[in-house]
Protein backbone atom coordinates (compact mmCIF):
# COMPACT_ATOMS: atom_id res chain seq x y z
CA UNK A 1 0.00 0.00 0.00
CA UNK A 2 2.70 2.46 1.10
CA UNK A 3 4.75 1.34 -1.85
CA UNK A 4 1.90 2.10 -4.16
CA UNK A 5 1.38 5.53 -2.57
CA UNK A 6 5.07 6.48 -2.92
CA UNK A 7 5.04 5.40 -6.59
CA UNK A 8 1.97 7.56 -7.13
CA UNK A 9 3.70 10.51 -5.44
CA UNK A 10 6.83 10.01 -7.55
CA UNK A 11 4.86 9.93 -10.74
CA UNK A 12 2.90 13.04 -9.73
CA UNK A 13 6.22 14.77 -8.86
CA UNK A 14 7.71 13.66 -12.17
CA UNK A 15 4.70 14.91 -14.05
CA UNK A 16 4.80 18.19 -12.15
CA UNK A 17 8.55 18.56 -12.64
CA UNK A 18 8.32 17.79 -16.27
CA UNK A 19 5.38 20.15 -16.69
CA UNK A 20 7.20 23.03 -15.01
CA UNK A 21 10.35 22.17 -16.94
CA UNK A 22 8.37 22.07 -20.16
CA UNK A 23 6.79 25.36 -19.26
CA UNK A 24 10.19 26.95 -18.62
CA UNK A 25 11.45 25.52 -21.89
CA UNK A 26 8.43 26.93 -23.67
CA UNK A 27 8.89 30.40 -22.15
CA UNK A 28 12.55 30.48 -23.02
CA UNK A 29 12.06 29.33 -26.57
CA UNK A 30 9.82 32.34 -27.19
CA UNK A 31 12.35 34.95 -28.19
CA UNK A 32 10.19 37.58 -29.86
CA UNK A 33 8.23 38.30 -26.70
CA UNK A 34 9.50 39.36 -23.28
CA UNK A 35 7.34 37.26 -20.96
CA UNK A 36 7.85 37.74 -17.25
CA UNK A 37 6.12 37.90 -13.92
CA UNK A 38 5.99 40.79 -11.50
CA UNK A 39 5.09 40.65 -7.82
CA UNK A 40 2.12 42.70 -6.64
CA UNK A 41 4.31 45.82 -6.28
CA UNK A 42 5.85 45.56 -9.75
CA UNK A 43 9.18 43.88 -8.98
CA UNK A 44 10.41 41.40 -11.57
CA UNK A 45 10.18 37.73 -10.50
CA UNK A 46 10.93 35.77 -13.69
CA UNK A 47 12.60 36.50 -17.01
CA UNK A 48 12.81 34.70 -20.33
CA UNK A 49 15.23 34.77 -23.28
CA UNK A 50 12.75 36.95 -25.14
CA UNK A 51 13.15 39.54 -22.36
CA UNK A 52 16.87 39.52 -22.91
CA UNK A 53 16.46 39.85 -26.65
CA UNK A 54 13.82 42.57 -26.58
CA UNK A 55 15.20 44.65 -23.69
CA UNK A 56 18.88 43.68 -23.58
CA UNK A 57 19.05 42.72 -19.87
CA UNK A 58 20.15 39.30 -18.63
CA UNK A 59 18.13 37.47 -16.01
CA UNK A 60 20.56 38.36 -13.18
CA UNK A 61 20.42 42.04 -14.05
CA UNK A 62 16.68 42.40 -13.72
CA UNK A 63 15.31 39.88 -11.22
CA UNK A 64 14.18 41.76 -8.13
CA UNK A 65 14.29 45.20 -9.72
CA UNK A 66 11.20 47.28 -10.43
CA UNK A 67 9.78 47.03 -13.96
CA UNK A 68 9.59 50.83 -14.27
CA UNK A 69 13.26 50.68 -15.36
CA UNK A 70 12.01 49.84 -18.88
CA UNK A 71 10.04 53.08 -19.15
CA UNK A 72 11.19 56.47 -20.33
CA UNK A 73 12.06 58.86 -17.46
CA UNK A 74 9.18 61.19 -18.36
CA UNK A 75 6.70 58.25 -18.21
CA UNK A 76 8.10 57.15 -14.84
CA UNK A 77 7.76 60.69 -13.55
CA UNK A 78 4.16 60.79 -14.78
CA UNK A 79 3.45 57.56 -12.85
CA UNK A 80 2.68 55.47 -15.95
CA UNK A 81 4.07 52.10 -14.72
CA UNK A 82 1.92 52.12 -11.57
CA UNK A 83 -1.11 53.36 -13.52
CA UNK A 84 -0.77 50.40 -15.89
CA UNK A 85 -0.65 47.92 -12.99
CA UNK A 86 -3.68 49.60 -11.37
CA UNK A 87 -5.57 49.42 -14.67
CA UNK A 88 -4.74 45.71 -15.08
CA UNK A 89 -5.91 45.06 -11.51
CA UNK A 90 -9.17 46.93 -11.96
CA UNK A 91 -10.05 45.89 -15.50
CA UNK A 92 -8.74 42.31 -15.34
CA UNK A 93 -6.38 42.98 -18.27
CA UNK A 94 -4.48 45.92 -19.63
CA UNK A 95 -2.87 46.41 -23.00
CA UNK A 96 -1.19 49.41 -24.54
CA UNK A 97 1.48 50.57 -26.96
CA UNK A 98 4.27 53.04 -26.22
CA UNK A 99 7.95 53.80 -26.20
CA UNK A 100 10.23 51.81 -23.88
CA UNK A 101 13.96 51.89 -23.27
CA UNK A 102 16.48 49.07 -23.80
CA UNK A 103 19.52 48.50 -21.61
CA UNK A 104 21.76 50.35 -24.09
CA UNK A 105 19.47 53.39 -23.84
CA UNK A 106 17.92 52.95 -27.31
CA UNK A 107 14.15 53.24 -27.59
CA UNK A 108 11.73 50.75 -29.08
CA UNK A 109 7.99 50.85 -29.66
CA UNK A 110 6.38 48.23 -27.47
CA UNK A 111 3.08 46.43 -27.50
CA UNK A 112 2.36 45.50 -23.88
CA UNK A 113 -0.21 43.25 -22.18
CA UNK A 114 -0.50 42.93 -18.40
CA UNK A 115 -2.69 40.36 -16.62
CA UNK A 116 -3.19 40.33 -12.87
CA UNK A 117 -2.61 37.01 -11.07
CA UNK A 118 -4.99 36.21 -8.21
CA UNK A 119 -4.67 33.49 -5.61
CA UNK A 120 -7.49 32.88 -3.14
CA UNK A 121 -8.91 36.29 -3.94
CA UNK A 122 -5.59 38.01 -3.24
CA UNK A 123 -3.46 39.77 -5.86
CA UNK A 124 -0.10 38.01 -5.95
CA UNK A 125 1.45 39.55 -9.04
CA UNK A 126 1.18 40.25 -12.74
CA UNK A 127 2.03 38.43 -15.94
CA UNK A 128 3.54 40.81 -18.47
CA UNK A 129 4.13 40.26 -22.18
CA UNK A 130 6.04 42.85 -24.21
CA UNK A 131 6.71 42.77 -27.93
CA UNK A 132 8.93 45.06 -29.97
CA UNK A 133 6.68 46.43 -32.74
CA UNK A 134 8.97 49.26 -33.90
CA UNK A 135 9.34 47.85 -37.44
CA UNK A 136 5.60 47.33 -37.79
CA UNK A 137 4.93 50.85 -36.55
CA UNK A 138 7.50 52.36 -38.94
CA UNK A 139 6.05 50.44 -41.87
CA UNK A 140 2.55 51.64 -40.93
CA UNK A 141 3.82 55.21 -40.67
CA UNK A 142 5.50 55.06 -44.08
CA UNK A 143 2.33 53.65 -45.58
CA UNK A 144 0.25 56.45 -44.06
CA UNK A 145 2.68 59.11 -45.29
CA UNK A 146 2.70 57.61 -48.78
CA UNK A 147 -1.11 57.53 -48.77
CA UNK A 148 -1.29 61.16 -47.61
CA UNK A 149 1.11 62.40 -50.30
CA UNK A 150 -0.70 60.34 -52.92
CA UNK A 151 -4.00 61.89 -51.83
CA UNK A 152 -2.51 65.37 -52.00
CA UNK A 153 -1.04 64.66 -55.46
CA UNK A 154 -4.41 63.29 -56.67
CA UNK A 155 -6.19 66.33 -55.29
CA UNK A 156 -3.83 68.69 -57.09
CA UNK A 157 -4.19 66.62 -60.26
CA UNK A 158 -8.00 66.86 -60.09
CA UNK A 159 -7.95 70.58 -59.40
CA UNK A 160 -5.46 70.93 -62.25
CA UNK A 161 -7.82 69.25 -64.72
CA UNK A 162 -10.71 71.42 -63.62
CA UNK A 163 -8.73 74.63 -63.87
CA UNK A 164 -7.37 73.61 -67.23
CA UNK A 165 -10.86 73.51 -68.76
CA UNK A 166 -11.80 76.84 -67.22
CA UNK A 167 -8.54 78.51 -68.17
CA UNK A 168 -8.85 77.53 -71.83
CA UNK A 169 -12.33 79.05 -72.12
CA UNK A 170 -11.25 82.09 -70.19
CA UNK A 171 -8.22 82.59 -72.37
CA UNK A 172 -10.36 82.57 -75.49
CA UNK A 173 -12.75 85.10 -73.98
CA UNK A 174 -9.89 87.35 -72.98
CA UNK A 175 -8.42 87.15 -76.47
CA UNK A 176 -11.75 88.49 -77.83
CA UNK A 177 -11.81 91.27 -75.22
CA UNK A 178 -8.20 92.29 -75.91
CA UNK A 179 -8.72 92.33 -79.68
CA UNK A 180 -11.87 94.42 -79.33
CA UNK A 181 -10.11 96.87 -77.01
CA UNK A 182 -7.22 97.16 -79.46
CA UNK A 183 -9.66 98.04 -82.23
CA UNK A 184 -11.47 100.60 -80.04
CA UNK A 185 -8.12 102.16 -79.12
CA UNK A 186 -7.30 102.68 -82.80
CA UNK A 187 -10.71 104.28 -83.53
CA UNK A 188 -10.89 106.65 -80.56
CA UNK A 189 -7.31 107.76 -80.31
CA UNK A 190 -8.35 111.43 -80.58
CA UNK A 191 -10.33 111.37 -77.30
CA UNK A 192 -7.86 111.19 -74.39
CA UNK A 193 -10.51 110.30 -71.79
CA UNK A 194 -11.70 107.28 -73.75
CA UNK A 195 -8.11 106.32 -74.58
CA UNK A 196 -7.23 106.34 -70.86
CA UNK A 197 -10.18 104.09 -70.07
CA UNK A 198 -9.39 101.74 -72.91
CA UNK A 199 -5.77 101.50 -71.76
CA UNK A 200 -6.87 100.67 -68.23
CA UNK A 201 -9.22 98.00 -69.59
CA UNK A 202 -6.41 96.59 -71.73
CA UNK A 203 -4.04 96.43 -68.76
CA UNK A 204 -6.67 94.59 -66.72
CA UNK A 205 -7.39 92.16 -69.57
CA UNK A 206 -3.69 91.51 -70.02
CA UNK A 207 -3.30 90.84 -66.33
CA UNK A 208 -6.21 88.40 -66.70
CA UNK A 209 -4.41 86.74 -69.59
CA UNK A 210 -1.25 86.43 -67.49
CA UNK A 211 -3.26 84.79 -64.73
CA UNK A 212 -4.83 82.30 -67.10
CA UNK A 213 -1.37 81.47 -68.45
CA UNK A 214 -0.30 80.67 -64.89
CA UNK A 215 -3.41 78.52 -64.52
CA UNK A 216 -2.60 76.70 -67.72
CA UNK A 217 0.89 75.98 -66.44
CA UNK A 218 -0.59 74.53 -63.29
CA UNK A 219 -3.08 72.44 -65.24
CA UNK A 220 -0.29 71.36 -67.63
CA UNK A 221 -2.21 72.78 -70.52
CA UNK A 222 0.50 75.21 -71.48
CA UNK A 223 3.01 73.92 -73.92
CA UNK A 224 6.28 74.69 -72.27
CA UNK A 225 9.21 75.29 -74.54
CA UNK A 226 12.05 73.54 -72.81
CA UNK A 227 15.49 74.77 -73.65
CA UNK A 228 18.90 74.35 -72.04
CA UNK A 229 19.16 77.02 -69.40
CA UNK A 230 21.87 78.32 -67.12
CA UNK A 231 19.85 79.07 -63.97
CA UNK A 232 22.48 81.40 -62.50
CA UNK A 233 22.42 83.50 -65.63
CA UNK A 234 18.60 83.63 -65.57
CA UNK A 235 18.62 84.65 -61.93
CA UNK A 236 21.12 87.40 -62.72
CA UNK A 237 18.92 88.57 -65.62
CA UNK A 238 16.03 88.77 -63.18
CA UNK A 239 18.03 90.76 -60.65
CA UNK A 240 16.73 94.19 -61.66
CA UNK A 241 13.13 93.09 -61.75
CA UNK A 242 13.42 91.41 -58.36
CA UNK A 243 15.03 94.47 -56.79
CA UNK A 244 12.34 96.71 -58.22
CA UNK A 245 9.66 94.39 -56.83
CA UNK A 246 11.02 94.69 -53.28
CA UNK A 247 10.97 97.76 -51.06
CA UNK A 248 14.23 99.09 -49.60
CA UNK A 249 13.83 97.37 -46.26
CA UNK A 250 13.90 93.96 -47.97
CA UNK A 251 17.47 92.81 -48.61
CA UNK A 252 18.12 90.46 -51.55
CA UNK A 253 21.11 88.14 -51.22
CA UNK A 254 22.46 85.50 -53.58
CA UNK A 255 24.41 82.33 -53.02
CA UNK A 256 24.82 80.79 -56.46
CA UNK A 257 26.99 77.71 -56.93
CA UNK A 258 29.50 78.24 -59.76
CA UNK A 259 29.74 76.02 -62.85
CA UNK A 260 26.28 74.49 -62.53
CA UNK A 261 25.17 72.16 -65.31
CA UNK A 262 22.37 73.42 -67.56
CA UNK A 263 18.78 72.45 -66.88
CA UNK A 264 16.14 71.89 -69.55
CA UNK A 265 13.18 74.18 -68.89
CA UNK A 266 10.98 76.94 -70.27
CA UNK A 267 12.88 80.17 -69.53
CA UNK A 268 9.94 82.61 -69.06
CA UNK A 269 8.19 80.08 -66.80
CA UNK A 270 11.35 79.58 -64.75
CA UNK A 271 11.69 83.32 -64.31
CA UNK A 272 8.01 83.63 -63.41
CA UNK A 273 8.47 80.90 -60.78
CA UNK A 274 11.44 82.61 -59.14
CA UNK A 275 9.66 85.95 -59.25
CA UNK A 276 6.49 84.45 -57.76
CA UNK A 277 8.52 83.06 -54.86
CA UNK A 278 10.33 86.37 -54.33
CA UNK A 279 7.06 88.32 -54.37
CA UNK A 280 5.56 85.90 -51.84
CA UNK A 281 8.59 86.41 -49.59
CA UNK A 282 8.30 90.17 -49.96
CA UNK A 283 4.62 90.04 -48.99
CA UNK A 284 5.51 87.97 -45.92
CA UNK A 285 7.88 90.67 -44.67
CA UNK A 286 5.86 93.90 -44.43
CA UNK A 287 8.36 95.43 -42.01
CA UNK A 288 11.43 94.28 -43.91
CA UNK A 289 13.69 91.26 -43.90
CA UNK A 290 16.06 89.24 -45.99
CA UNK A 291 15.51 87.03 -49.03
CA UNK A 292 18.28 84.62 -49.97
CA UNK A 293 18.27 83.01 -53.40
CA UNK A 294 20.54 80.02 -53.78
CA UNK A 295 21.33 77.58 -56.55
CA UNK A 296 23.11 74.27 -56.11
CA UNK A 297 23.59 70.85 -57.65
CA UNK A 298 21.93 68.25 -55.42
CA UNK A 299 21.05 64.58 -55.40
CA UNK A 300 17.33 64.50 -54.71
CA UNK A 301 14.28 62.28 -55.12
CA UNK A 302 10.76 63.47 -55.84
CA UNK A 303 9.23 63.79 -52.33
CA UNK A 304 5.74 62.88 -53.60
CA UNK A 305 6.96 59.68 -55.21
CA UNK A 306 7.97 57.19 -52.52
CA UNK A 307 9.58 54.81 -55.00
CA UNK A 308 11.64 57.48 -56.76
CA UNK A 309 15.40 57.19 -56.72
CA UNK A 310 17.70 60.14 -56.15
CA UNK A 311 19.15 61.91 -59.13
CA UNK A 312 21.26 64.96 -59.86
CA UNK A 313 19.19 68.10 -60.11
CA UNK A 314 19.78 71.80 -60.01
CA UNK A 315 17.83 73.21 -57.08
CA UNK A 316 16.99 76.86 -56.74
CA UNK A 317 15.72 78.00 -53.40
CA UNK A 318 14.13 81.23 -52.28
CA UNK A 319 14.28 81.63 -48.50
CA UNK A 320 12.92 84.44 -46.37
CA UNK A 321 12.80 85.30 -42.70
CA UNK A 322 9.24 86.55 -42.88
CA UNK A 323 6.03 85.58 -41.11
CA UNK A 324 6.09 81.89 -42.12
CA UNK A 325 2.93 79.96 -42.92
CA UNK A 326 0.58 78.72 -40.18
CA UNK A 327 0.79 74.91 -39.94
CA UNK A 328 -2.91 74.42 -40.62
CA UNK A 329 -2.70 75.97 -44.09
CA UNK A 330 0.70 74.64 -45.21
CA UNK A 331 -0.94 71.71 -47.03
CA UNK A 332 -3.17 74.03 -49.04
CA UNK A 333 -0.86 76.76 -50.27
CA UNK A 334 -0.05 75.03 -53.59
CA UNK A 335 -3.75 74.83 -54.46
CA UNK A 336 -4.80 77.26 -57.18
CA UNK A 337 -6.76 80.25 -55.86
CA UNK A 338 -5.69 79.59 -52.31
CA UNK A 339 -4.68 82.94 -50.91
CA UNK A 340 -4.62 84.65 -47.55
CA UNK A 341 -4.21 88.02 -49.20
CA UNK A 342 -6.99 90.54 -49.57
CA UNK A 343 -8.95 90.79 -52.81
CA UNK A 344 -6.85 92.47 -55.48
CA UNK A 345 -3.57 91.72 -53.69
CA UNK A 346 -3.27 88.02 -54.44
CA UNK A 347 -4.97 85.56 -56.75
CA UNK A 348 -3.55 82.43 -55.13
CA UNK A 349 -1.77 81.30 -58.28
CA UNK A 350 1.89 82.00 -57.54
CA UNK A 351 2.70 78.72 -55.82
CA UNK A 352 0.43 76.81 -58.22
CA UNK A 353 2.54 78.16 -61.07
CA UNK A 354 5.73 77.13 -59.26
CA UNK A 355 4.36 73.65 -58.56
CA UNK A 356 2.95 73.16 -62.08
CA UNK A 357 6.08 74.48 -63.78
CA UNK A 358 8.40 72.24 -61.74
CA UNK A 359 6.24 69.14 -62.26
CA UNK A 360 5.78 69.74 -65.94
CA UNK A 361 9.51 70.23 -66.35
CA UNK A 362 10.17 66.80 -64.83
CA UNK A 363 11.20 68.23 -61.47
CA UNK A 364 9.45 69.11 -58.26
CA UNK A 365 8.85 72.00 -55.91
CA UNK A 366 8.70 71.84 -52.14
CA UNK A 367 7.93 74.34 -49.44
CA UNK A 368 9.02 74.37 -45.84
CA UNK A 369 7.92 76.97 -43.41
CA UNK A 370 8.18 77.68 -39.73
CA UNK A 371 5.59 80.11 -38.40
CA UNK A 372 7.32 83.21 -37.09
CA UNK A 373 10.66 82.30 -38.63
CA UNK A 374 10.30 82.13 -42.39
CA UNK A 375 9.66 80.14 -45.50
CA UNK A 376 11.81 78.39 -48.08
CA UNK A 377 10.62 77.30 -51.51
CA UNK A 378 12.88 74.88 -53.36
CA UNK A 379 12.48 74.21 -57.07
CA UNK A 380 14.48 71.21 -58.30
CA UNK A 381 14.93 70.79 -62.05
CA UNK A 382 16.38 67.99 -64.16
CA UNK A 383 19.66 68.47 -65.96
CA UNK A 384 19.79 69.09 -69.67
CA UNK A 385 20.78 65.97 -71.55
CA UNK A 386 22.33 68.03 -74.35
CA UNK A 387 24.62 69.86 -71.94
CA UNK A 388 25.35 66.99 -69.60
N1 LIG B 1 7.09 83.09 -48.47
C1 LIG B 1 5.88 83.03 -47.90
N2 LIG B 1 5.72 83.41 -46.60
C2 LIG B 1 4.50 83.36 -46.01
N3 LIG B 1 3.37 82.92 -46.61
C3 LIG B 1 3.48 82.53 -47.90
C4 LIG B 1 4.72 82.54 -48.61
N4 LIG B 1 4.50 82.07 -49.85
C5 LIG B 1 3.19 81.77 -49.92
N5 LIG B 1 2.56 82.06 -48.76
C6 LIG B 1 1.14 81.84 -48.44
O1 LIG B 1 0.60 81.02 -49.45
C7 LIG B 1 -0.52 81.64 -50.07
C8 LIG B 1 -0.56 81.24 -51.53
O2 LIG B 1 0.55 81.78 -52.21
P1 LIG B 1 0.45 82.02 -53.78
O3 LIG B 1 1.73 82.60 -54.25
O4 LIG B 1 -0.01 80.75 -54.42
O5 LIG B 1 -0.72 83.04 -53.92
P2 LIG B 1 -0.74 84.57 -53.51
O6 LIG B 1 0.65 85.07 -53.25
O7 LIG B 1 -1.72 84.73 -52.41
O8 LIG B 1 -1.31 85.23 -54.83
P3 LIG B 1 -0.53 85.42 -56.24
O9 LIG B 1 0.83 84.82 -56.09
O10 LIG B 1 -1.35 84.70 -57.23
O11 LIG B 1 -0.49 86.89 -56.44
C9 LIG B 1 -0.29 83.13 -49.82
O12 LIG B 1 -1.51 83.84 -49.85
C10 LIG B 1 0.35 83.13 -48.45
O13 LIG B 1 -0.63 82.99 -47.44
MG1 LIG C 1 2.13 84.70 -54.63
Amino acid sequence: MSDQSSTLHDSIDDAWMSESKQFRLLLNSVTDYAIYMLDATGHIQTWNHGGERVKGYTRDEVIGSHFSRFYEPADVEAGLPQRELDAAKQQGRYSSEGWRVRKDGSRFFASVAIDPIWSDGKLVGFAKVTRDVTDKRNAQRQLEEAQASLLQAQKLEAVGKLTLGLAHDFNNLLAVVINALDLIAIRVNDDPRVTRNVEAALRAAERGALLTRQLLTFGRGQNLVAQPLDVNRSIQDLNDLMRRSCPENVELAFDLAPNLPFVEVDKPQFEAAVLNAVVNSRDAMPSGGRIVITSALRKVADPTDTGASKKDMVCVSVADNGSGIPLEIQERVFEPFFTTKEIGKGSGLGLSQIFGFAKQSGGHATLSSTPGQGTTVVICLPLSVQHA
Side-chain angles (χ1 to χ4, degrees), residues 279-302:
V279 168
N280 279 348
S281 291
R282 174 203 68 192
D283 291 347
M285 304 190 292
S287 42
R290 186 175 150 93
I291 303 176
V292 184
I293 300 173
T294 61
S295 66
L297 181 65
R298 287 209 231 147
K299 252 195 182 346
V300 277
D302 184 344

Side-chain angles (χ1 to χ4, degrees), residues 276 279-280 283 341 348-351:
N276 274 328
V279 168
N280 279 348
D283 291 347
K341 295 169 192 173
L349 290 175
L351 286 173

